[in-house]
Amino acid sequence: MEEFVKKYKSELLENVLPFWEKYSIDKEFGGYFTCLERDGSVFDTDKFMWLQGRQIWTMSTMYDKVQAKEEWKSIGEHGARFILDLGRDANGHWYFALDRTGKPLVQPYNIFSDCFATMGLASLYKITNKDEYAQVAVDTFNRILERQGNPKGKYNKAYPGTRNLKGFSLPMILSNLSLELEHIVGTQTVEKLIDEIIHEVMEVFYQPESGLIMESVHLDGSFSDTFEGRLVNPGHIIEAMWFMMDLANRRGDAKLMDKCIQIAIRALEYGWDQEFGGILYFKDILNRPPQQLEWDQKLWWVHLEALVCMAKGYAYTGNEQCKAWFEKLDAYTFSKFSDPVYGEWYGYLNRQGQPLLTLKGGKWKGCFHVPRALYKIYEALESKVPAII
Amino acid sequence: MEEFVKKYKSELLENVLPFWEKYSIDKEFGGYFTCLERDGSVFDTDKFMWLQGRQIWTMSTMYDKVQAKEEWKSIGEHGARFILDLGRDANGHWYFALDRTGKPLVQPYNIFSDCFATMGLASLYKITNKDEYAQVAVDTFNRILERQGNPKGKYNKAYPGTRNLKGFSLPMILSNLSLELEHIVGTQTVEKLIDEIIHEVMEVFYQPESGLIMESVHLDGSFSDTFEGRLVNPGHIIEAMWFMMDLANRRGDAKLMDKCIQIAIRALEYGWDQEFGGILYFKDILNRPPQQLEWDQKLWWVHLEALVCMAKGYAYTGNEQCKAWFEKLDAYTFSKFSDPVYGEWYGYLNRQGQPLLTLKGGKWKGCFHVPRALYKIYEALESKVPAII
C-alpha cells in the first residue's frame, strides 16, 4: 500500500491544504470564506458555523498530526478569534450563520453548529494550551449534553407525542466529539459516552434483517415505516463504522471490529450504483421513492469516508475485502472528485459522475472532509501491522 | 389549436382524474393519500395539508368548471371533513402534516398550509353553499393576512435585522387566493390586494437589468447578492406571469398583458436547458453555484405552468411567439412526463429527461398542478377570440 500512502499524502499537502490557505482566509473581517468557486474565487461571503468550527479543527489537527507548520496554527487561531467574538448568542448557543462581518444571520437552531465549534476549539487548545479555548469548548460540550433531548429547542416543528423517533446523527457526533475532548473532559466521561454509543449504534440503530443502520428509529429501536424511518444514508453508515472501528481498536474488541467491517461492506454493496459506479446518497429501505431529490447524486464526503473506512478496516485486520473495496473506491473517487488543475475536490457529482456543481466549498462543504480523510487514510495505511487480531 | 383542446381535455378526463379518484381516497380514516407509486399503490400514509387542501380545490373546481360529477363533489367533501375535524391547532392555524389517522405530526410553521386549506374550502363552498366552508375559509384568510409580516412565527430562524429580505411566494399566493375567495370576501378586498400585488411583482421583484423576477429582494426592492437574493426559479416566474395575465385581462390592461408576455418569454429562454431540453429548476442570476442540489432537474409543475402561461398568452393576444413556445413545450412535456400506462404524470425528471422518481404523488406532488393546468390550457385554447388587444 506504499504507493497509496504517497499519493494521499501528496494530495493533502500539495493539492488540498494550499487551496484553503490561499483562498479561505478573510483578512478583513476575520474567519473563513467557504463559498469558493472551482478556481478558489469567493462567490459568497456568509459564514456558516459548521464550517468555521471544522476549519479550525482541520488546521489545528494538521499542525498536531502532520506537521507543526506555524501558518496552520495561525489560521486556526484566526478562525477561533472570529467565532469566539461573534459566534454565540447571550445563552452561549452558537448561531448557525453569520454574515461576512460577523453579524448573526441564522439563529442557533442547529446543535451541530455547537458540536463543530467545540471540536475546533478543543483541537486548537491541544496545540496552543490557551485556556480560553478549553473553557468555551467544555462549556459548549456541557450545553450540548443538556440540549440532547430536544436539540432544536423552540425551532422543533415536530408535534410532540405523535411520532417519537430518534436520529442516528447526534449520538454519532457525540461519540466522536467526546474523543476529541478527552484531553479536556477526561477519560471517564469519554468511556461512559462510548459505552452508550456503541450500544445505540450497533444494537439500537442496527437492523439485523437488512444488515444496515437506519437513520431514525422508534424510541424502542423498532422500525418506523415512514419517510424518515425508511431512509438509508450509506455514506453515513460507513463513516460511523470507522468511528466504531477506532473504538473497537481502543478497547481491543475484536468482535466489535468484525461487526463494523461486516456492516461497512454491506453498506457499500447496498449503496453502490451498479449502473454508473459510485455510492448513492440516499436509498429507501423498502425501495419506495425517497423524499430527497438528490438521492442519486455522488457526494465527496461519502466517498472519502468510505475510503477511510476501508483503509482502517484493512489496517486494523488485514481483511482482503477491505483492500479490494479500497482500491475500487480509490479508482472512482480520485478520477471523479479531485481537481488537479485548481486544487481541492468537487463536492457534488450527478449520477453519471460529472460535476453537478463546480464549487470547491459552499454552505456545507468546507475545509474538513477532504483533508481529514486524506490524512486518516495515509495514517491508517502507514501502520503496517494490524493493531488487533 | 383544436387538436390541443382535444388532447388536453382527454388527458385530464381519461388519464389524470381517474387516477386520483381510484387511488387517493382513504375510506378508513378520511382525507387523501397523496404518496402514490407509479401504479397508484400507496407507499406512505402521511397527510400533508398543502395537498389535502389542493385536492379539495381540484375536485370542487372540476365539478364547477368541467362537469357537475357528483363523485367529484363528494371527494371534495370527504377531504374537507377530514381537515375541518383534525387539521387545525387551538388557534385555528393549520398543521403542516397529520398522520394517517389525523393526529398532528408537524406544527403549523408553514403559512401555505393555511393558504391551500382556505383555497380548497372556498371552492367547495362555491359548489355546496355550506356555510361552514365559507366561515373557516374567511377566518383562515384573515389569519393569513395577520401573519403576513412573519409567516413562520416562532419557527422563523432568521436573526432579526441583519438581512431583511422579502419573498415573492406569499404575495403571489395571496393574489391568487383573493381571487379564489372573491365570492366570499367581496370584490373590494380583492381589488385592493390586486393593486398591491401587481405593483410588488411587476415592479419590486422585477429586475429590469435581467428582465426577470427575483425570488427575494431587500425590503426596498434592491438586489441582494446572497444565496437567496441571487436565486431565480424560472417556473415560478412563468406561473406568476399567467396569474398576472389573468389580472391584466380582468382589468383590460393591455400594457400589463404585454409586459407579462415579455417576462414569461424571457424566463423561458433563460430557464431552457440548451443541452437536454426542458426548463431548469433553479439558476443563480450571477451564474454562481446554486445552493439547491436539485437545480438541474425538470419538474412537472414548472412545465405545466409554462404551458398554461403560453396558452393564455396566445389566447389573450394571439402572440405567435407564445404559440411557438407552447408547441415546443407540449412536445417535451407530454413525451417525458405523462404516463399512458398507469395514468397521471411523473413529477421529477433528471436533467436528461428520465424519471428520477417514479412516484405520481408524494409530499409535494398531489392532485393539483396536473389537472389544474390541463383544464386551464384547454379552457384558454377553446376561447378562440383574443380577449383583449
Side-chain angles (χ1 to χ4, degrees):
Chain A
M1 308 295 270
E2 255 171 64
E3 83 271 29
F4 286 118
V5 172
K6 226 169 114 184
K7 175 177 170 182
Y8 281 79
K9 204 172 200 166
S10 95
E11 183 74 5
L12 174 68
L13 296 174
E14 287 158 38
N15 200 36
V16 171
L17 289 172
F19 184 91
W20 297 101
E21 291 171 35
K22 195 161 169 194
Y23 300 117
S24 72
I25 319 302
D26 184 352
K27 287 180 183 135
E28 199 170 339
F29 291 98
Y32 313 120
F33 298 120
T34 64
C35 297
L36 302 174
E37 262 286 18
R38 185 183 171 197
D39 65 1
S41 57
V42 176
F43 72 86
D44 196 277
T45 58
D46 284 353
K47 287 167 182 165
F48 305 100
M49 199 53 65
W50 281 37
L51 303 186
Q52 301 293 312
R54 283 173 156 187
Q55 184 158 349
I56 299 170
W57 179 89
T58 301
M59 290 295 162
S60 309
T61 303
M62 294 299 130
Y63 180 95
D64 188 36
K65 305 279 189 186
V66 177
Q67 200 180 306
K69 207 173 145 182
E70 280 307 314
E71 196 185 346
W72 294 343
K73 179 155 80 174
S74 122
I75 294 175
E77 295 215 83
H78 172 85
R81 197 64 269 144
F82 182 75
I83 69 164
L84 285 168
D85 289 347
L86 301 160
R88 286 164 294 171
D89 74 5
N91 300 314
H93 300 316
W94 295 84
Y95 293 115
F96 180 76
L98 310 173
D99 74 2
R100 184 180 173 185
T101 67
K103 286 201 206 105
L105 271 178
V106 181
Q107 300 278 14
Y109 79 96
N110 186 305
I111 202 168
F112 297 106
S113 310
D114 304 71
C115 292
F116 296 121
T118 315
M119 187 170 157
L121 294 171
S123 65
L124 190 59
Y125 171 66
K126 208 180 276 174
I127 62 165
T128 60
N129 257 313
K130 292 189 186 164
D131 286 341
E132 183 187 10
Y133 304 145
Q135 196 51 55
V136 178
V138 76
D139 285 353
T140 303
F141 185 67
N142 289 331
R143 264 188 212 97
I144 293 168
L145 295 180
E146 280 164 24
R147 281 169 70 186
Q148 255 191 96
N150 184 18
K152 288 193 185 168
K154 72 166 181 158
Y155 303 102
N156 183 6
K157 295 180 292 198
Y159 188 89
T162 305
R163 182 178 295 160
N164 294 319
L165 299 179
K166 59 179 179 179
F168 166 51
S169 301
L170 192 54
M172 268 310 304
I173 294 269
L174 282 179
S175 73
N176 187 245
L177 200 54
S178 69
L179 289 170
E180 292 287 338
L181 267 76
E182 191 164 5
H183 60 298
I184 305 178
V185 300
T187 296
Q188 212 185 333
T189 303
V190 174
E191 286 294 327
K192 197 175 150 274
L193 262 168
I194 288 178
D195 284 336
E196 286 172 28
I197 274 133
I198 292 177
H199 168 71
E200 286 288 306
V201 173
M202 305 305 282
E203 286 164 64
V204 179
F205 286 93
Y206 174 68
Q207 191 192 64
E209 308 87 283
S210 64
L212 297 167
I213 290 170
M214 305 309 297
E215 285 296 302
S216 303
V217 295
H218 287 129
L219 294 187
D220 66 1
S222 61
F223 175 65
S224 165
D225 185 1
T226 57
F227 280 108
E228 307 92 307
R230 291 190 301 269
L231 189 67
V232 183
N233 181 332
H236 200 201
I237 299 175
I238 299 164
E239 180 181 20
M241 286 307 100
W242 74 250
F243 284 16
M244 292 293 127
M245 285 179 191
D246 281 355
L247 299 181
N249 185 55
R250 175 187 172 109
R251 295 187 163 187
D253 185 339
K255 207 178 139 201
L256 177 59
M257 182 69 79
D258 187 53
K259 195 174 173 190
C260 291
I261 289 176
Q262 272 177 43
I263 297 174
I265 290 174
R266 166 74 181 122
L268 272 168
E269 286 165 352
Y270 177 78
W272 190 259
D273 183 349
Q274 297 298 340
E275 206 174 336
F276 295 100
I279 302 163
L280 296 165
Y281 193 10
F282 293 110
K283 288 181 83 170
D284 181 290
I285 191 79
L286 301 181
N287 281 320
R288 293 178 186 158
Q291 220 179 98
Q292 289 76 7
L293 296 181
E294 65 273 29
W295 71 271
D296 72 342
Q297 297 175 10
K298 312 291 161 68
L299 268 70
W300 85 107
W301 68 265
V302 170
H303 294 77
L304 283 157
E305 298 304 325
L307 281 162
V308 173
C309 189
M310 291 299 104
K312 283 187 185 269
Y314 179 65
Y316 282 142
T317 70
N319 181 304
E320 285 295 324
Q321 264 188 293
C322 290
K323 188 175 179 223
W325 264 110
F326 180 84
E327 286 166 357
K328 182 173 173 170
L329 285 162
D330 170 79
Y332 180 90
T333 303
F334 251 85
S335 64
K336 308 278 188 191
F337 285 99
S338 170
D339 180 5
V341 181
Y342 291 100
E344 246 291 322
W345 288 34
Y346 298 116
Y348 306 89
L349 311 181
N350 64 16
R351 183 162 185 184
Q352 293 76 19
Q354 298 141 345
L356 175 81
L357 298 171
T358 51
L359 59 75
K360 297 294 173 50
K363 183 171 174 183
W364 305 103
K365 182 177 188 289
C367 176
F368 184 65
H369 281 288
V370 184
R372 181 177 79 167
L374 295 172
Y375 161 67
K376 298 259 178 205
I377 291 162
Y378 83 74
E379 182 204 34
L381 298 179
E382 259 178 346
S383 67
K384 303 274 185 323
V385 187
I388 63 171
I389 68 158
Chain B
M1 307 295 271
E2 256 171 64
E3 83 270 31
F4 287 117
V5 173
K6 227 169 113 184
K7 176 177 170 183
Y8 282 80
K9 203 170 199 166
S10 95
E11 183 74 5
L12 174 68
L13 296 174
E14 287 157 38
N15 200 37
V16 171
L17 289 173
F19 184 91
W20 297 101
E21 291 170 35
K22 195 163 170 191
Y23 300 117
S24 72
I25 318 303
D26 184 352
K27 289 182 182 132
E28 200 171 338
F29 292 98
Y32 313 120
F33 299 121
T34 64
C35 296
L36 302 174
E37 262 286 17
R38 185 182 172 199
D39 64 2
S41 56
V42 176
F43 72 87
D44 195 276
T45 58
D46 284 353
K47 288 167 183 165
F48 305 99
M49 199 54 63
W50 280 38
L51 303 187
Q52 301 293 311
R54 283 172 155 187
Q55 184 157 349
I56 299 169
W57 180 88
T58 300
M59 290 295 162
S60 310
T61 303
M62 294 298 131
Y63 180 95
D64 189 36
K65 305 279 190 187
V66 176
Q67 198 180 309
K69 209 174 143 182
E70 280 308 313
E71 196 185 345
W72 295 342
K73 179 154 81 174
S74 122
I75 294 175
E77 295 215 83
H78 172 86
R81 197 65 268 144
F82 182 76
I83 69 165
L84 284 167
D85 289 347
L86 301 159
R88 286 164 295 171
D89 74 4
N91 301 314
H93 300 315
W94 294 85
Y95 293 115
F96 180 76
L98 310 173
D99 75 2
R100 182 179 174 186
T101 68
K103 285 199 207 106
L105 271 177
V106 181
Q107 300 278 15
Y109 79 96
N110 186 305
I111 202 167
F112 298 107
S113 310
D114 304 72
C115 291
F116 297 122
T118 316
M119 188 170 154
L121 294 171
S123 65
L124 190 59
Y125 172 67
K126 209 181 276 177
I127 63 165
T128 60
N129 257 312
K130 291 190 187 164
D131 286 343
E132 184 187 10
Y133 304 145
Q135 195 53 55
V136 178
V138 76
D139 285 353
T140 303
F141 185 67
N142 289 330
R143 266 190 210 92
I144 293 168
L145 295 180
E146 279 164 25
R147 282 169 69 187
Q148 255 191 96
N150 183 17
K152 289 193 186 168
K154 72 166 183 157
Y155 303 102
N156 184 5
K157 295 179 294 198
Y159 188 90
T162 305
R163 182 178 294 159
N164 294 320
L165 298 180
K166 60 180 179 178
F168 167 50
S169 301
L170 192 54
M172 268 310 304
I173 293 269
L174 282 179
S175 73
N176 187 244
L177 200 54
S178 69
L179 289 171
E180 292 287 339
L181 267 74
E182 191 164 5
H183 59 298
I184 306 177
V185 301
T187 297
Q188 212 185 332
T189 303
V190 174
E191 287 294 325
K192 198 177 150 274
L193 262 166
I194 289 177
D195 284 337
E196 284 170 33
I197 274 132
I198 292 177
H199 169 71
E200 285 288 306
V201 173
M202 305 305 282
E203 287 164 62
V204 180
F205 288 93
Y206 175 69
Q207 191 192 64
E209 308 88 282
S210 64
L212 297 167
I213 290 170
M214 305 308 297
E215 285 296 302
S216 303
V217 295
H218 287 129
L219 296 187
D220 66 1
S222 62
F223 176 65
S224 166
D225 186 1
T226 58
F227 280 108
E228 307 92 308
R230 292 190 300 270
L231 189 67
V232 183
N233 181 331
H236 200 199
I237 299 176
I238 299 164
E239 182 182 20
M241 287 307 101
W242 74 249
F243 285 16
M244 291 293 129
M245 285 177 192
D246 281 355
L247 300 181
N249 185 55
R250 176 187 172 109
R251 295 187 163 187
D253 185 339
K255 208 178 138 201
L256 176 59
M257 182 68 79
D258 187 53
K259 195 173 173 190
C260 292
I261 290 176
Q262 273 178 43
I263 296 175
I265 289 174
R266 165 75 182 122
L268 272 167
E269 286 165 353
Y270 177 79
W272 190 258
D273 183 349
Q274 298 297 340
E275 205 174 338
F276 294 99
I279 302 163
L280 296 164
Y281 194 9
F282 292 110
K283 289 181 82 170
D284 182 290
I285 192 79
L286 300 181
N287 281 320
R288 293 177 186 158
Q291 221 180 96
Q292 289 77 5
L293 296 181
E294 65 274 28
W295 71 272
D296 71 343
Q297 297 175 10
K298 312 290 162 68
L299 269 71
W300 85 107
W301 68 264
V302 171
H303 295 77
L304 282 159
E305 299 304 325
L307 281 162
V308 174
C309 190
M310 292 299 104
K312 283 187 186 270
Y314 179 65
Y316 282 141
T317 70
N319 181 304
E320 286 295 324
Q321 265 188 294
C322 291
K323 187 175 179 224
W325 264 110
F326 179 84
E327 286 165 357
K328 181 172 173 171
L329 286 162
D330 170 79
Y332 179 90
T333 304
F334 251 84
S335 64
K336 306 279 187 190
F337 285 99
S338 169
D339 179 6
V341 181
Y342 291 101
E344 246 291 322
W345 288 35
Y346 299 116
Y348 306 90
L349 311 180
N350 63 17
R351 183 161 186 185
Q352 293 76 20
Q354 298 141 345
L356 176 82
L357 298 170
T358 52
L359 59 75
K360 297 295 172 51
K363 185 173 173 181
W364 305 104
K365 181 177 188 289
C367 176
F368 184 65
H369 281 289
V370 184
R372 181 177 78 167
L374 294 171
Y375 161 65
K376 298 259 180 206
I377 291 162
Y378 82 72
E379 182 203 35
L381 298 179
E382 260 179 343
S383 68
K384 304 270 185 329
V385 188
I388 61 170
I389 70 157

